[in-house]
Amino acid sequence: LAKTTQPISMDSYEGQEVNITCSHNNIATNDYITWYQQFPSQGPRFIIQGYKTKVTNEVASLFIPADRKSSTLSLPRVSLSDTAVYYCLVATPPNNAGNMLTFGGGTRLMVKP
Amino acid sequence: GAGVSQSPSNKVTEKGKDVELRCDPISGHTALYWYRQSLGQGLEFLIYFQGNSAPDKSGLPSDRFSAERTGGSVSTLTIQRTQQEDSAVYLCASSLADRERETQYFGPGTRLLVL
């Protein structure tokens, strides 16, 4: 069971780079790492997914070290609209075991002007 | 459809009453998930449907909770004899259940308040 641990909250300022780290010491060989973003009163939204090394898309980058026991979501030049809760999920696709679908508490990011 | 839809968006009920929450997944998505999110908390997995396989009910908190998925599409989450602690946002998600890249697409949720 790959449980995840994230900081409860983080503060940043507009234009800064934000790095949120998730620990998942019990990650299994077939597990992928997925990050979701959730705004108030909305369902979570997919940001990025990776298995190892580095993944980059138009929104963020995901850094995964060789041992895969942690991962870091990097948001470049954040804006006020990036204020949200960010969840790290570790699971083996296709998700066929409910005990692998624990999102954890997430990290509440507050971006200040 | 364009995304996952859920109804009703808000539901207020009295303690002891039954409620039904509906989820319409994205067309073609074979996997469907129900989660519960209490105020200020993370997502709590409830139940998972994948194709024609038996659902994974390991997250259901009690036998008052049940869910069905008809025709591999629409799903209904039923809570019988509601309690005040059932008050939460109930989120539904669907995915292609593709082995390589599985992404869950979430609906807006149903906000349930049990008085």
Side-chain angles (χ1 to χ4, degrees):
Chain A
L1 175 56
K3 292 188 177 179
T4 60
T5 304
Q6 303 174 233
I8 294 174
S9 64
M10 294 181 68
D11 289 343
S12 182
Y13 291 92
E14 283 189 290
Q16 289 188 336
E17 177 185 84
V18 171
N19 296 308
I20 305 174
T21 297
C22 178
S23 297
H24 29 79
N25 292 321
N26 296 327
I27 189 168
T29 302
N30 294 328
D31 283 342
Y32 277 75
I33 300 159
T34 310
W35 284 81
Y36 290 83
Q37 175 191 55
Q38 185 178 29
F39 297 113
S41 302
Q42 295 184 25
R45 184 183 68 159
F46 171 87
I47 301 176
I48 196 165
Q49 183 183 70
Y51 182 79
K52 61 181 179 180
T53 62
K54 176 183 176 182
V55 179
T56 297
N57 61 22
E58 65 277 7
V59 177
S61 294
L62 179 60
F63 299 91
I64 305 169
D67 65 6
R68 304 200 327 123
K69 293 183 182 297
S70 67
S71 59
T72 299
L73 173 71
S74 181
L75 304 173
R77 299 177 298 282
V78 294
S79 63
L80 296 177
S81 62
D82 292 318
T83 294
V85 179
Y86 293 83
Y87 293 96
C88 163
L89 175 66
V90 175
T92 296
N95 296 326
N96 55 7
N99 60 9
M100 295 183 181
L101 295 174
T102 302
F103 276 71
T107 297
R108 193 171 300 274
L109 173 66
M110 174 67 73
V111 179
K112 302 175 183 178
Chain B
V4 177
S5 60
Q6 293 185 244
S7 61
S9 55
N10 293 280
K11 177 70 176 179
V12 181
T13 190
E14 294 179 348
K15 177 182 175 181
K17 294 288 182 67
D18 298 350
V19 295
E20 284 190 352
L21 312 180
R22 177 188 169 103
C23 172
D24 284 84
I26 293 174
S27 178
H29 280 194
T30 57
L32 187 146
Y33 316 75
W34 282 99
Y35 295 88
R36 179 169 69 175
Q37 188 171 35
S38 300
L39 186 62
Q41 302 298 311
L43 282 77
E44 175 189 4
F45 167 79
L46 297 177
I47 189 169
Y48 164 71
F49 295 90
Q50 168 54 30
N52 296 322
S53 303
D56 181 339
K57 304 178 181 180
S58 60
L60 294 178
S62 77
D63 58 7
R64 296 186 296 105
F65 289 72
S66 63
E68 291 184 342
R69 189 178 186 191
T70 56
S73 180
V74 173
S75 177
T76 302
L77 176 69
T78 301
I79 308 174
Q80 296 178 310
R81 305 181 301 282
T82 53
Q83 303 294 313
Q84 290 182 332
E85 59 264 30
D86 298 334
S87 296
V89 176
Y90 289 82
L91 290 159
C92 173
S94 70
S95 74
L96 280 170
D98 178 78
R99 180 164 288 277
E100 295 301 321
R101 294 277 179 175
E102 177 155 4
T103 299
Q104 296 181 51
Y105 295 85
F106 284 82
T110 292
R111 286 152 189 78
L112 175 65
L113 177 62
V114 182
L115 301 176

